[in-house]
Each structure stands twice: as structure tokens, then as C-alpha cells.
């Protein structure tokens, strides 16, 4: 059998970690690499044993794990320090801001047009008119 082995994408069983791992596994499959999600209590330790080959994560959370007292705050600083703090033999993907773990505000097209803008300054000008909502099963942000 010449089929390549399936790439194990590590994740914890919490919904956020599992969702990100499934997205990574789907991307790997899209590009021709068989992949599956492997759940564990600490997927980063699975990299050492080879039980996981990829473990997606957020740069800030990974930096905090390896350097809890880091003072890095900007996205670029956090990424650079995280890469420097990774254990030997562990690498990180290229830096990108296309996916961020930050609060976001979504408004309808009609609202954006009424406000005359699509950035947060438009929302600031209309704070008194905002009605904050959430997904029914979601947690309320702090």
C-alpha cells in the first residue's frame, strides 16, 4: 500500500480547539494529505511522542504556556517571542493576521450604510444605539 499515512492534528476536546483542528485537517486533505483529528488532554505533548504531527493554536496562548511572564503585546511581538520560545524540534507556521483571537463586531449592511462607515470608529459614534447580542449557546464576552 503506497498511500501516505494520515496526519494526526492534535486538539483538546473543547469545542474551540476541536473546530480549529478540524479546519486544519480539512485543509490538509484539500491539498492531498490524508488527515484526522486526534483528541487528547494536552495535544502539545503528543508532538513529542509523534501521536500528533500538527497542533494548531493561538500565538498568545502558546506564548503564555512557554513564557508565562512575557511582556509582548503586539501581534508581531507575540509571534516572534512564541517562535523563540518553542521547544527544540517544534516549528510554527508563517505569521498571518488572517485569523485572530480578538473580539469582533458584526453589523448588517444596512447598519453600516446608515452609520456611514465600516470600521469601529463608526460604531463608537453610535454606542448609545448599539444592542449587543450573542449566539444563544455562546458565552458573553468579558
Amino acid at each position: 500500500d503506497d498511500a501516505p499515512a494520515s496526519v494526526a492534528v492534535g486538539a483538546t476536546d473543547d469545542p474551540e480547539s476541536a473546530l480549529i483542528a478540524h479546519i486544519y485537517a480539512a485543509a490538509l486533505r484539500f491539498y492531498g494529505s490524508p488527515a484526522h483529528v486526534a483528541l487528547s488532554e494536552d495535544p502539545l505533548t503528543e508532538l513529542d511522542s509523534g501521536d500528533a504531527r500538527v497542533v494548531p493554536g493561538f500565538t498568545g496562548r502558546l506564548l503564555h504556556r512557554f513564557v508565562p511572564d512575557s511582556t509582548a503585546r503586539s501581534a508581531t511581538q507575540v509571534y516572534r517571542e512564541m517562535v523563540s520560545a518553542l521547544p527544540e524540534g517544534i516549528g510554527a507556521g508563517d505569521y498571518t493576521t488572517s485569523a485572530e483571537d480578538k473580539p469582533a463586531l458584526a453589523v448588517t449592511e444596512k447598519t453600516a450604510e446608515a452609520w456611514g462607515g465600516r470600521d469601529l470608529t463608526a460604531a463608537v459614534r453610535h454606542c448609545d444605539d448599539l444592542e449587543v447580542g450573542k449566539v444563544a449557546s455562546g458565552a458573553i464576552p468579558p
Side-chain angles (χ1 to χ4, degrees):
D1 185 12
D2 292 336
S6 181
V7 175
V9 179
T12 62
D13 66 356
D14 75 85
E16 182 179 57
S17 177
L19 173 64
I20 294 168
H22 280 282
I23 291 170
Y24 271 73
L28 287 165
R29 287 190 299 270
F30 178 82
Y31 286 103
S33 297
H36 66 280
V37 173
L39 300 178
S40 77
E41 192 171 312
D42 186 359
L44 287 174
T45 61
E46 304 296 315
L47 290 169
D48 281 337
S49 66
D51 290 335
R53 299 275 314 277
V54 176
V55 177
F58 294 107
T59 55
R61 293 179 192 175
L62 289 168
L63 175 60
H64 182 74
R65 175 167 177 166
F66 295 116
V67 187
D69 58 343
S70 172
T71 59
R73 292 296 175 256
S74 78
T76 303
Q77 287 176 326
V78 169
Y79 175 77
R80 288 179 180 155
E81 282 195 33
M82 184 225 34
V83 169
S84 296
L86 291 173
E88 187 175 334
I90 303 297
D94 291 339
Y95 175 74
T96 180
T97 58
S98 61
E100 296 186 24
D101 183 21
K102 294 182 180 182
L105 176 66
V107 297
T108 64
E109 184 72 28
K110 182 178 176 181
T111 299
E113 287 175 12
W115 287 356
R118 299 179 181 286
D119 56 20
L120 284 179
T121 58
V124 169
R125 292 190 303 265
H126 297 277
C127 278
D128 293 338
D129 302 327
L130 289 176
E131 291 184 34
V132 179
K134 68 178 186 86
V135 175
S137 61
I140 297 173

